[in-house]
Short mmCIF file of all heavy atoms in Angstrom, two decimals:
data_model
loop_
_atom_site.label_atom_id
_atom_site.label_comp_id
_atom_site.label_asym_id
_atom_site.label_seq_id
_atom_site.Cartn_x
_atom_site.Cartn_y
_atom_site.Cartn_z
N CYS Y 40 20.39 66.10 13.79
CA CYS Y 40 19.42 65.96 14.89
C CYS Y 40 18.31 64.99 14.50
O CYS Y 40 17.75 65.07 13.41
CB CYS Y 40 18.85 67.34 15.19
SG CYS Y 40 17.45 67.33 16.32
N ILE Y 41 18.00 64.06 15.40
CA ILE Y 41 17.02 63.02 15.11
C ILE Y 41 15.60 63.60 14.98
O ILE Y 41 14.74 63.02 14.34
CB ILE Y 41 17.05 61.94 16.22
CG1 ILE Y 41 16.51 60.60 15.73
CG2 ILE Y 41 16.29 62.37 17.47
CD1 ILE Y 41 17.48 59.77 15.00
N SER Y 42 15.39 64.79 15.55
CA SER Y 42 14.04 65.38 15.52
C SER Y 42 13.84 66.30 14.32
O SER Y 42 12.98 66.07 13.49
CB SER Y 42 13.75 66.13 16.82
OG SER Y 42 12.44 66.62 16.80
N CYS Y 43 14.68 67.34 14.18
CA CYS Y 43 14.45 68.32 13.10
C CYS Y 43 15.15 67.92 11.81
O CYS Y 43 14.74 68.33 10.72
CB CYS Y 43 14.88 69.72 13.54
SG CYS Y 43 16.65 69.89 13.81
N GLY Y 44 16.23 67.13 11.92
CA GLY Y 44 16.96 66.71 10.73
C GLY Y 44 17.72 67.84 10.06
O GLY Y 44 18.20 67.69 8.94
N ASN Y 45 17.84 68.97 10.74
CA ASN Y 45 18.49 70.14 10.13
C ASN Y 45 19.87 70.44 10.69
O ASN Y 45 20.79 70.71 9.94
CB ASN Y 45 17.63 71.40 10.35
CG ASN Y 45 16.37 71.34 9.52
OD1 ASN Y 45 16.37 70.79 8.41
ND2 ASN Y 45 15.28 71.87 10.05
N HIS Y 46 19.97 70.41 12.02
CA HIS Y 46 21.21 70.86 12.66
C HIS Y 46 22.02 69.67 13.18
O HIS Y 46 21.45 68.62 13.46
CB HIS Y 46 20.89 71.80 13.83
CG HIS Y 46 19.97 72.91 13.44
ND1 HIS Y 46 20.34 73.91 12.57
CD2 HIS Y 46 18.68 73.18 13.79
CE1 HIS Y 46 19.33 74.74 12.40
NE2 HIS Y 46 18.31 74.31 13.12
N PHE Y 54 19.98 65.04 19.73
CA PHE Y 54 19.22 66.26 19.43
C PHE Y 54 20.17 67.45 19.26
O PHE Y 54 21.22 67.51 19.89
CB PHE Y 54 18.26 66.58 20.58
CG PHE Y 54 17.25 65.50 20.86
CD1 PHE Y 54 17.35 64.70 21.99
CD2 PHE Y 54 16.19 65.28 19.98
CE1 PHE Y 54 16.43 63.70 22.26
CE2 PHE Y 54 15.25 64.28 20.23
CZ PHE Y 54 15.37 63.49 21.37
N CYS Y 55 19.74 68.41 18.42
CA CYS Y 55 20.50 69.66 18.29
C CYS Y 55 20.15 70.57 19.49
O CYS Y 55 19.22 70.28 20.24
CB CYS Y 55 20.17 70.36 16.97
SG CYS Y 55 18.50 71.06 16.91
N LEU Y 56 20.89 71.65 19.59
CA LEU Y 56 20.70 72.56 20.74
C LEU Y 56 19.28 73.16 20.75
O LEU Y 56 18.65 73.25 21.80
CB LEU Y 56 21.76 73.67 20.68
CG LEU Y 56 21.89 74.56 21.91
CD1 LEU Y 56 22.20 73.74 23.16
CD2 LEU Y 56 22.99 75.60 21.68
N ASP Y 57 18.78 73.53 19.56
CA ASP Y 57 17.44 74.13 19.49
C ASP Y 57 16.38 73.16 19.99
O ASP Y 57 15.53 73.51 20.81
CB ASP Y 57 17.09 74.52 18.04
CG ASP Y 57 17.86 75.75 17.58
OD1 ASP Y 57 18.58 76.33 18.42
OD2 ASP Y 57 17.74 76.11 16.40
N CYS Y 58 16.42 71.92 19.48
CA CYS Y 58 15.41 70.92 19.88
C CYS Y 58 15.57 70.58 21.36
O CYS Y 58 14.59 70.52 22.11
CB CYS Y 58 15.51 69.67 19.01
SG CYS Y 58 15.01 69.96 17.31
N LYS Y 59 16.82 70.37 21.76
CA LYS Y 59 17.08 69.98 23.15
C LYS Y 59 16.55 71.04 24.12
O LYS Y 59 16.01 70.71 25.18
CB LYS Y 59 18.59 69.79 23.35
CG LYS Y 59 18.98 69.19 24.69
CD LYS Y 59 18.90 67.68 24.66
CE LYS Y 59 19.48 67.08 25.93
NZ LYS Y 59 19.44 65.62 25.86
N HIS Y 99 9.79 66.17 20.30
CA HIS Y 99 11.12 65.65 19.94
C HIS Y 99 11.33 64.22 20.45
O HIS Y 99 11.90 63.39 19.76
CB HIS Y 99 12.20 66.59 20.48
CG HIS Y 99 12.06 68.00 20.00
ND1 HIS Y 99 12.04 68.32 18.66
CD2 HIS Y 99 11.90 69.16 20.66
CE1 HIS Y 99 11.89 69.63 18.52
NE2 HIS Y 99 11.80 70.17 19.74
ZN1 ZN B 14 16.92 69.56 16.09
#
Side-chain angles (χ1 to χ4, degrees):
C40 170
I41 204 83
S42 183
C43 66
N45 290 326
H46 309 293
F54 300 108
C55 71
L56 191 58
D57 287 355
C58 291
K59 189 84 172 182
H99 303 303

